Each structure stands twice: as structure tokens, then as C-alpha cells.
Amino acid sequence: MNKFFALENLLKSGYSIIPRVILDNQQSSCKKTALRADILSYFYQKAYFAKGDVVLDGRIYTCFRGELIVNQKELAAFFKTERRQWNRIMAEFTSENIIRVDRLRGGSRITILA
């Protein structure tokens, strides 16, 4: 039986650094605060830690460290938010210089700035 949490497996698997405020806010009684924290936690976990290629809508995009390439409509559905609320949250993140969003065919490149 292979030990999943063996030191060797932990060291080879990579890691993500998530600011503590995000982890704390995921437990917030305010639904908007908790949702924002969940979205940012997802971004931090899914962002590339090295250069790599991503296929989206049949196109290949190069993704660099701290970036993720996604379909925002699908993410809004994943987080069970209306598209309007999703756009508002993304605009807030952008205005707060937490992320930068660049439009691509069939999706978006999200760069984590903070």
C-alpha cells in the first residue's frame, strides 16, 4: 500500500500558498465574504506554479506562473452564482488589484497579482 502522505509524495506534489485572510474569510457568516474567499482560494489552488500549456475551446494557450485560463461562465455555475454577481465580484477583485483578467477566445486568462 502506497502511503499518500509520505514525505516523498508531499515534497514532489508541489504546494500552493493561500493568504490566511482567505482561509479565515471562508468561515465568515457573511455569504458574500465567504463566496469571495472561496473564489480566491480556488484561484490560488488552480494557478499554475510553472509554465505550461492549457487547451481551452480547442486552442492551446501558454500559461505562466500565477495564471490560470478558465471559462468564467463555467466558473460562475461551479460557484452557483448568477452571471451578474460573478461579473461584479470579478470587477471588485480587478479594482482592488488582486487579479488581472485578459479576455481570450472562449475564456479568460486570470493573473493573480496579490
Side-chain angles (χ1 to χ4, degrees), residues 28-91:
S28 175
S29 60
C30 173
K31 288 183 180 182
K32 181 181 177 184
T33 300
L35 175 61
R36 285 173 47 105
D38 287 342
I39 293 169
L40 286 176
S41 176
Y42 179 89
F43 288 171
Y44 274 93
Q45 290 176 51
K46 299 296 181 184
Y48 270 59
F49 59 89
K51 182 180 173 182
D53 290 333
V54 176
V55 177
L56 180 70
D57 236 14
R59 294 176 183 87
I60 298 174
Y61 296 99
T62 301
C63 201
F64 295 94
R65 183 182 183 105
E67 295 180 342
L68 62 155
I69 295 178
V70 296
N71 180 307
Q72 289 193 52
K73 186 176 180 179
E74 291 175 6
L75 277 182
F78 176 79
F79 285 103
K80 298 179 178 102
T81 61
E82 294 178 8
R83 187 77 171 135
R84 217 169 164 179
Q85 181 185 20
W86 177 265
N87 289 340
R88 198 172 317 123
I89 290 171
M90 295 301 287

Side-chain angles (χ1 to χ4, degrees), residues 91-103:
E92 290 171 359
F93 289 157
T94 302
S95 70
E96 295 168 5
N97 291 322
I98 296 171
I99 64 170
R100 182 180 68 234
V101 179
D102 298 310
R103 302 286 179 209

Side-chain angles (χ1 to χ4, degrees), residues 22-29 34 37:
I22 291 173
L23 299 174
D24 292 343
N25 284 339
Q26 285 181 301
Q27 307 304 318
S28 175
S29 60

